[in-house]
Amino acid sequence: AILGGVDNIWIKPGSKVLYLGAAAGTSVSHVSDIVGPKGNVYAVEFSHRPGRDLLNVAKSRTNVIPIIEDARHPLKYRMLVGMVDCVFADIAQPDQARIVALNSHYFLKQGGHSVIAIKASCIDSTAAPEAVFRREVSKLQSENFKPLEQLTLEPYERDHCVLISQYRPSKKKKSSDE
C-alpha cells in the first residue's frame, strides 16, 4: 500500500494498533517497528499454527500482545485490549466488514482510523472486484466509517485493495458567520 502511494496509514510511533489477521507475525513485526517501544500492537490470529509463530515473534518484541482468538468474538479478548488509534485488518473472510466494525465499536477511539486489506475473491468470487470493493465501502459507511483513501494493490496483489477510513469522525463545528 505504501509502495502504491497511500498518503497516510495512520500508524506512527506511540500508536496503539489492533491488528486483525496477524498470521505468523511478519507484517505485525513491521507495525511493531513503526509504533516503537511506546506503542502497542494487539495481534489477533485465529489459526493455531501461524499463532505459534506469532507467539515466537512476540517473545522478542515487548510491544506485541499476541491474541490467539477469533476476531468475530472480540468480547473474548476485551480484557487484553485497550482503546486503540488504528485497526489494521488483513482477514480473508466474507464478513470482513462486519468483523472490522464489531472490533472498532469496542476498541477504536472516536476519530481513529482503519486500514483494511480487501480481498475481493474471498468476499465474492463471482462479482467484479470493483463491485465487491464498493459494497464493502458501503457496509463500512453504514457503521460510521468515513472512507479517506482506496488503492488497488496491482501489480503486487490481484483483485485486492486497501481502504483507509476514519471512524466516527468529529462533526465540523459551524462558524458563527453562517
Side-chain angles (χ1 to χ4, degrees):
I2 294 169
L3 287 174
V6 166
D7 287 338
N8 193 337
I9 59 166
W10 302 100
I11 298 170
K12 58 185 188 268
S15 291
K16 306 232 179 303
V17 178
L18 176 59
Y19 195 119
L20 304 175
T26 304
S27 296
V28 167
S29 69
H30 300 306
V31 174
S32 165
D33 290 340
I34 295 169
V35 303
K38 293 195 168 136
N40 288 108
V41 183
Y42 301 96
V44 180
E45 176 53 45
F46 181 56
S47 299
H48 289 271
R49 181 169 289 164
R52 282 195 299 271
D53 295 335
L54 176 63
L55 290 171
N56 286 327
V57 167
K59 284 178 185 172
S60 61
R61 294 176 174 275
T62 57
N63 64 352
V64 173
I65 297 93
I67 302 168
I68 312 305
E69 192 55 76
D70 188 342
R72 288 184 181 91
H73 305 288
L75 290 178
K76 289 185 176 181
Y77 47 88
R78 72 185 181 282
M79 301 304 284
L80 301 172
V81 180
M83 293 302 285
V84 299
D85 304 299
C86 183
V87 172
F88 187 103
D90 188 8
I91 49 179
Q93 295 296 326
D95 59 340
Q96 177 176 6
R98 188 189 69 76
I99 294 168
V100 169
L102 184 61
N103 278 271
S104 297
H105 295 327
Y106 285 111
F107 306 118
L108 185 57
K109 69 181 188 180
Q110 180 173 342
H113 294 84
S114 64
V115 178
I116 306 167
I118 301 173
K119 300 168 180 126
S121 62
C122 293
I123 295 167
D124 184 349
S125 60
T126 64
E130 296 74 22
V132 173
F133 300 153
R134 275 194 305 276
R135 279 198 313 260
E136 293 303 291
V137 168
S138 178
K139 288 176 192 173
L140 289 164
Q141 285 174 316
S142 72
E143 296 284 354
N144 292 317
F145 286 87
K146 177 185 175 191
L148 301 175
E149 268 187 278
Q150 181 178 330
L151 183 73
T152 61
L153 298 181
E154 305 275 354
Y156 308 105
E157 295 284 349
R158 199 168 143 253
D159 300 337
H160 287 53
C161 84
V162 166
L163 176 67
I164 298 173
S165 303
Q166 186 175 25
Y167 182 63
R168 294 185 180 159
S170 303
K171 304 276 188 246
K172 292 208 163 107
K173 293 189 167 107
K174 291 186 179 181
S175 64
S176 56
D177 300 337
E178 294 178 23

